[in-house]
Structure formats: structure tokens, C-alpha cells
Amino acid sequence: MNGPLVFTVVGAGPFTVGLVDALAASPDDLGARVRPIELRLLGRDEETLAALEVYAGNRLAGPVSAGTDHGLLDGADVVLVQVRPGGAAGRIADEQLAASLGVAADESLGLGGLRTVLRGAPVLRGLAAELLVRCPDALVLVLTNPLSSFVAELSRSGLMAVGCCELPTVTGRQAAAALGLGDGELGWDYSGLSHRGFLHGLRGPDGAELLTVLVDALTASGSGIGAVAADEIASLGALPMKYHGLLRGTSSVHGRAVAVDSARSDLRAELLSAPRARPESLSARPTPWYDVMVAPVLRALAGGAAARLVLDLPSGDGLVREGWAVVDAGGVRPQPPSGTAAPASVAGLVALYEAQERAWAALLAAPGRSTLTAAVACDPAIPEAAAGAVVDALLPEALQLADQPVLSHWSAT
């Protein structure tokens, strides 16, 4: 193909400035062999979209358009889904409910994640129905959390969907830095699901095993990686994601929705006042998912250097697991496991998380008290003592999903 790679962002808002910056920073080392990227920004806030169009047009070489017209989806080659069902108000309410019930607050795990899934499933289903009409062959990249559940929802509709979470790559880079290695010098295998994964089989450029070396280095410095201490890494024989403590009940999360919404408001105000300048307030909430994941994927699809990344990939059994994949101009190619098997302790936890994911899927397929109770019961981020209260609190959302499983007006939520 000689034409531009048409890339539509669904849910464009103030933080999309980070995406524009990531695309602007992408090197062009292949010249004419790289397809130009046509950026389309679809959102709801016309003022923000107008400012984003100016900002992106000032920074990018390819065509840029922005607006509320769903025609921006027509013929897209790649669609980035970053809608937030319920908006900031929904996330704030989720965290307030979690605090009132004495459970951890998070947008992708536990009560917050489950409530977001119930609220968001009809939105994503409505979006999927429109994508199948306007751009049925598009590759759909998903940033919306809970990532595994929403990638699965879009995949079940017949779309080609994969999830982009920067956490495995960022965690690997942190481990490499602790070992005194540069990016790309630390090899590792991976097992798990979004926010519930593990790096194992850590090895250096010469193939030498490095997990023990990492544990020793962290112990000596008195530090950890992503809030995971050295002794926990040693006990697991693997390096978990930063959410491991929340899932195991050894740490709590009090939420940050108010801070994120405040940062969004500051960024929007700055963008509107000076749409050609990079907003300084973006530093209040960095956007590594764009730099680490989205920009390399787009560049590879456009004909640039192939990217090897951990992506959230649909599996034949209906679950969405994280695993290595290669992205190039031909698309996304999952890579079969070729390294070390996960330690038994990790395999047991992954099986637990997969059971939780299946229970969530069953709830979305047939929302009601029984499936909700089952989903809450097997969620490691919800203490057993709070399970009944969580079920009672979320049942109205489950029944609402049962009454209206698909929203044709998905963009209004």
C-alpha cells in the first residue's frame, strides 16, 4: 500500500497530547518505505478537539483531522480505543464506593475494575457494532481498562483487537536498570494477564540467569521494583507487576481519580490557551503507554522497524492473555513461548487469575446475582469479608447491563 496509514483515535482528550508527542518523536529511518500516518481524532469535547488538531498539525507531518463526526472512523486501518466509560465522575464514584466498603480502589482490578466492566461492556459493544460497519478490517488497539475484558469483548464481536499495556516492558526496563544493563540487553519470558503477569527466565546477553543477581542487587540497595520487594521476587522466582501486592492482600490502593481529573483539567486549560505549545502540565501525569507501546506499533505497521512487544492477545479459549508478539507491516504475529516455563508458584497464580477472568466473562454474558456473586467470590482483590457488600452494591449495575446489553449511543456515555 502506498497511501497513508489511517489511524483513528476514539476517545481523544487532553492527554492525547502525549500520543502526538510520541508520534512526533518517532524516528524516520526508512524514508520513503514508511507510509505516512493520517491521524484522526474522534471525541466529544469540541474545544479540546479543535486545540488538539492545531497541536497535532503543528507537530506531525501527516494529515490531521479532529471532531465529533463518526465519519472519522470510515476506512480506518488502525483504531485506538481509549474511551473511559462513565468518565472521570464514574472513576471517582468507584473509588468512593471502594473506600466506603473498605476494599482497594483501582480502575482495572477488584471492585473498581468490575464496576467499570459492567458500566463499559454495553459501550464497547456499541462501539464494536459501529466499527464493523465503518472499518471492519481495522486493527483495533485497546488502552481502555480493564484491558483483558474489553479486548475480549471487542474480539467476540469479530474485530481484530489487541491490548496495549506498557507495564511489562516498563517493568523489564526497571529490572535491566537495576542490573546495570541497557534497554534490550535483558532477556525475559512472560506469563499472565493484564496487570497480573510475571517476568521470569531473566537472562543477560550471554544467556546467564539473572533473577538471583537481581534479588541480590535489590537487597543490597534496600529497594524493590514497582513496589515489589526483593524477598517477594525471590520467593516467587519471578518478577510480578506492581499490582501484585493488591492482588495478594499485602498492600492497598486508595485511588487517584481526583488527582488524574485535576491533571486533565489543568492540561486542557493550558492546551486551549496555547494550542501550538507543549503543555507543561503534561508532566503531572506522564503517558508512557503512548511512547512504549502505541507509537512503536504504529511505526511498525506503517513499514518502519518491526517491534517485538508484550501485547494483550485473544486466545482460542476466549481468554485474553499477555504474551510476546512481533508487529510489522503485515500486522501482529503472536510468538509461541520459546523460553523457560513459569515457576510452579507463578503458574498457580496465573491459573487463579484466569479463573477470575472466566468468571467476569460469564457475568458479562449473563448478568445477574448468581454470576455476580461468582465473579466477586473468585476475585483476589476483594476480601471475602467484603464480598456480600460488594455484590449488593454492584447488583444494580449488573441488572442494568442485563436490561441494556448494547448501547447504540455509546459515544454519549
Side-chain angles (χ1 to χ4, degrees), residues 3 39 181 191 193 243 291 308 337 359 370-371 384 403:
L39 178 63
L181 299 175
S191 300
L193 292 80
Y243 295 95
D291 302 274
R308 183 173 181 267
S370 62
T371 50
E384 183 178 354
D403 290 338

Side-chain angles (χ1 to χ4, degrees), residues 171 174-180 202 210-234 238-240:
T171 303
Q174 292 171 336
L179 290 163
L202 275 63
L210 289 181
L211 183 73
T212 302
V213 179
L214 175 64
V215 169
D216 290 344
L218 295 175
T219 301
S221 65
S223 61
I225 293 181
V228 181
D231 57 353
E232 182 66 12
I233 298 171
L239 173 57

Side-chain angles (χ1 to χ4, degrees), residues 44-373:
R44 294 185 298 168
D45 183 342
E46 293 183 351
E47 284 188 314
T48 297
L49 290 166
L52 280 172
E53 186 170 8
V54 172
Y55 184 81
N58 192 51
R59 298 221 60 196
L60 303 177
V64 176
S65 55
T68 60
D69 184 352
H70 289 205
L72 292 169
L73 292 167
D74 290 342
D77 298 301
V78 184
V79 174
L80 179 67
V81 176
Q82 57 178 34
V83 296
R84 183 183 294 283
R91 184 175 177 182
I92 291 171
D94 294 346
E95 293 184 359
Q96 292 173 338
L97 176 61
S100 71
L101 298 180
V103 300
D106 183 76
E107 68 169 335
S108 59
L109 300 170
L111 181 152
L114 191 50
R115 198 180 193 196
T116 303
V117 161
L118 290 169
R119 179 171 62 234
V123 176
L124 271 290
R125 291 168 181 171
L127 170 60
E130 184 164 5
L131 294 179
L132 286 168
V133 172
R134 294 184 178 272
C135 50
D137 298 324
L139 174 65
V140 181
L141 306 178
V142 187
L143 288 179
T144 300
N145 283 316
L147 200 56
S148 296
S149 294
F150 284 149
V151 171
E153 281 295 317
L154 293 172
S155 297
R156 279 191 283 270
S157 74
L159 293 166
M160 295 181 291
V162 299
C164 296
C165 178
E166 82 287 354
L167 193 53
T169 299
V170 169
T171 303
R173 291 179 179 178
Q174 292 171 336
L179 290 163
L181 299 175
D183 288 351
E185 291 187 312
L186 178 66
W188 41 274
D189 305 309
Y190 191 86
S191 300
L193 292 80
S194 177
H195 290 187
R196 294 156 291 175
F198 303 83
L199 280 65
H200 53 89
L202 275 63
R203 52 195 176 274
D206 59 356
E209 186 275 331
L210 289 181
L211 183 73
T212 302
V213 179
L214 175 64
V215 169
D216 290 344
L218 295 175
T219 301
S221 65
S223 61
I225 293 181
V228 181
D231 57 353
E232 182 66 12
I233 298 171
S235 175
L236 287 168
L239 173 57
M241 301 297 97
K242 65 180 183 179
Y243 295 95
H244 180 70
L246 183 154
L247 293 164
R248 307 315 298 155
T250 58
S251 66
S252 60
V253 178
H254 301 294
R256 53 194 181 93
V258 172
V260 170
D261 188 44
S262 176
R264 184 200 63 80
S265 297
D266 292 344
L267 179 58
R268 181 182 184 274
E270 193 174 353
L271 178 64
L272 293 184
S273 66
R276 294 183 181 275
R278 185 179 189 277
E280 294 182 5
S281 55
L282 186 62
S283 59
R285 189 188 185 227
T287 54
W289 42 90
Y290 293 138
D291 302 274
V292 175
M293 300 299 295
V294 178
V297 167
L298 278 178
R299 178 165 173 74
L301 292 170
R308 183 173 181 267
L309 300 163
V310 172
L311 296 172
D312 289 75
L313 304 164
S315 302
D317 61 0
L319 292 185
V320 172
R321 297 177 175 84
E322 286 187 325
W324 286 105
V326 171
V327 185
D328 58 23
V332 178
R333 300 195 311 276
Q335 301 295 290
S338 59
T340 61
S345 58
V346 166
L349 290 174
V350 171
L352 173 67
Y353 303 149
E354 290 181 350
Q356 172 204 350
E357 198 72 20
R358 289 190 181 92
W360 280 29
L363 169 63
L364 294 182
R369 179 176 284 276
S370 62
T371 50
L372 175 61
T373 300

Side-chain angles (χ1 to χ4, degrees), residues 343-413:
S345 58
V346 166
L349 290 174
V350 171
L352 173 67
Y353 303 149
E354 290 181 350
Q356 172 204 350
E357 198 72 20
R358 289 190 181 92
W360 280 29
L363 169 63
L364 294 182
R369 179 176 284 276
S370 62
T371 50
L372 175 61
T373 300
V376 169
C378 67
D379 192 327
I382 299 177
E384 183 178 354
V390 171
V391 169
D392 290 341
L394 297 189
L395 185 58
E397 280 90 344
L399 297 178
Q400 183 175 351
L401 175 58
D403 290 338
Q404 193 171 24
V406 182
L407 292 182
S408 58
H409 58 288
W410 62 267
S411 60
T413 60

